[in-house]
């Protein structure tokens, strides 16, 4: 079971922002920007491009709905999208509010946000998710 499956199952806490029948979205624990979200399919699959067409389309359409909510909740120019997958072997899409290209640099020092700040951001995004 991956760490993300444990999060989805509620065995490990997360700052959830959205969920539907097949996907789950929550704040990245080491955000590179305020409102940095991971969108994850509930079915455990290591590599994003190993998902079958239906599940991949479903995840992307879910990510679009989450991105619209993030844009409303967090001041930014737009939502940058990244797929890395080198750390956690469970497909996921990074959704990152950006003002310029440097905001999507994974080598930047991670933001240190308090639990209250994380809760507040997650709550705002969740409120805008439809
Ligand atoms: P990647 O696999 O795309 O290289 O990176 C995995 C991402 O998942 C990282 O940005 C990391 O901060 C995030 N991450 C790893 N473990 C956890 C966790 O337990 N909870 C949350 N919310 N994020 C995690």
């Amino acid at each position: 079971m991956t760490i993300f499956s444990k999060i989805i199952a509620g065995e490990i806490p997360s700052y959830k922002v959205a969920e539907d029948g097949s996907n789950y979205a929550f704040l990245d624990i080491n955000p590179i920007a305020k409102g940095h979200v991971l969108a994850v399919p509930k079915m455990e699959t290591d590599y994003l491009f190993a998902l079958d067409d239906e599940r991949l389309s479903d995840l992307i359409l879910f990510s679009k709905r989450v991105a619209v909510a993030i844009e409303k909740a967090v001041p930014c120019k737009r939502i940058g999208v990244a797929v890395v997958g080198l750390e956690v072997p469970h497909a996921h899409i990074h959704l990152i509010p950006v003002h310029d290209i440097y905001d999507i640099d994974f080598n930047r020092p991670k933001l240190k946000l308090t639990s209250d700040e994380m809760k507040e951001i997650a709550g705002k995004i969740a409120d805008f998710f439809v």
Side-chain angles (χ1 to χ4, degrees):
M1 204 175 187
T2 67
I3 191 133
F4 290 171
S5 290
K6 289 182 183 167
I7 285 173
I8 293 160
E11 290 173 22
I12 292 178
S14 69
Y15 299 97
K16 175 178 154 179
V17 303
E19 181 174 14
D20 71 7
S22 8
N23 306 285
Y24 191 94
F26 53 102
L27 295 184
D28 194 299
I29 203 71
N30 285 311
I32 59 170
K34 249 188 180 182
H36 178 174
V37 167
L38 302 175
V40 177
K42 289 184 178 174
M43 201 188 86
E44 207 172 284
T45 301
D46 177 358
Y47 184 41
L48 186 80
F49 298 122
L51 289 168
D52 64 38
D53 290 357
E54 195 182 326
R55 285 181 200 281
L56 179 59
S57 319
D58 198 44
L59 174 63
I60 289 177
L61 292 175
F62 172 75
S63 300
K64 176 181 173 182
R65 289 165 61 210
V66 176
V68 167
I70 302 171
E71 269 173 356
K72 290 179 177 159
V74 181
C76 62
K77 257 195 182 156
R78 55 179 55 200
I79 304 302
V81 176
V83 174
V84 188
L86 291 174
E87 188 187 319
V88 178
H90 186 141
H92 53 280
I93 296 177
H94 293 259
L95 301 169
I96 305 164
V98 294
H99 295 277
D100 60 51
I101 189 71
Y102 303 105
D103 290 333
I104 208 162
D105 178 358
F106 282 83
N107 286 321
R108 273 164 63 142
K110 306 295 186 267
L111 294 185
K112 298 269 176 258
L113 299 175
T114 64
S115 164
D116 282 349
E117 287 172 314
M118 293 286 269
K119 250 186 237 163
E120 190 195 337
I121 298 165
K124 268 192 193 166
I125 299 170
D127 285 345
F128 283 114
F129 180 75
V130 282

